[in-house]
Amino acid sequence: PITPGELLCLGSSLAFSGLFYYMYRKKAKVVARIQEAPKLQVDDDLPALVSAAEGRCLPYIALEGIVLPAQAALTSHYQEGLQGVIQKLLLKEHRLIWNSLARSW
């Protein structure tokens, strides 16, 4: 005979397994879209391509090309001849709504 505690453990185990499998499949689809992203070159045609896209946005693309630093390139302290640049980040903040019950934004 199966006890109610065992049934509870089995049910919660199945529920968590289903939840984690759902999350895995959702992230696997995103990874597949990123891997199938078209590779574009950084050239003079890129601004026209972005302007022609819906919403002036290209969802997943891989840009290939030479990057020039705005001022001076960063040099590595650990490997000779290795240089890099810092990517300019764009932060988009979403509108915050005050939750009076939780007293937080």
Side-chain angles (χ1 to χ4, degrees):
I2 298 175
T3 64
E6 291 173 339
L7 283 176
L8 180 67
C9 290
L10 178 65
S12 63
S13 176
L14 287 174
F16 279 121
S17 295
L19 173 69
F20 292 139
Y21 182 72
Y22 168 75
M23 290 169 50
Y24 165 76
R25 293 300 303 158
K26 190 174 177 182
K27 296 299 178 187
K29 288 179 185 178
V30 172
V31 169
R33 283 185 60 196
I34 291 173
Q35 288 177 343
E36 295 171 358
K39 293 183 172 106
L40 302 176
Q41 295 291 325
V42 177
D43 56 7
D44 296 334
D45 298 335
L46 187 61
L49 183 64
V50 173
S51 297
E54 180 181 337
R56 297 179 50 112
C57 178
L58 300 172
Y60 291 111
I61 61 168
L63 288 176
E64 295 177 339
I66 297 174
V67 177
L68 299 175
Q71 295 175 358
L74 302 172
T75 56
S76 174
H77 295 287
Y78 304 107
Q79 289 188 358
E80 288 185 31
L82 187 64
Q83 293 184 338
V85 296
I86 296 177
Q87 177 183 358
K88 182 179 179 183
L89 297 176
L90 175 66
L91 177 65
K92 182 177 181 182
E93 293 187 24
H94 297 284
R95 190 175 139 221
L96 296 176
I97 299 174
W98 175 255
N99 184 347
S100 62
L101 183 63
R103 295 182 182 250
S104 66
W105 287 100

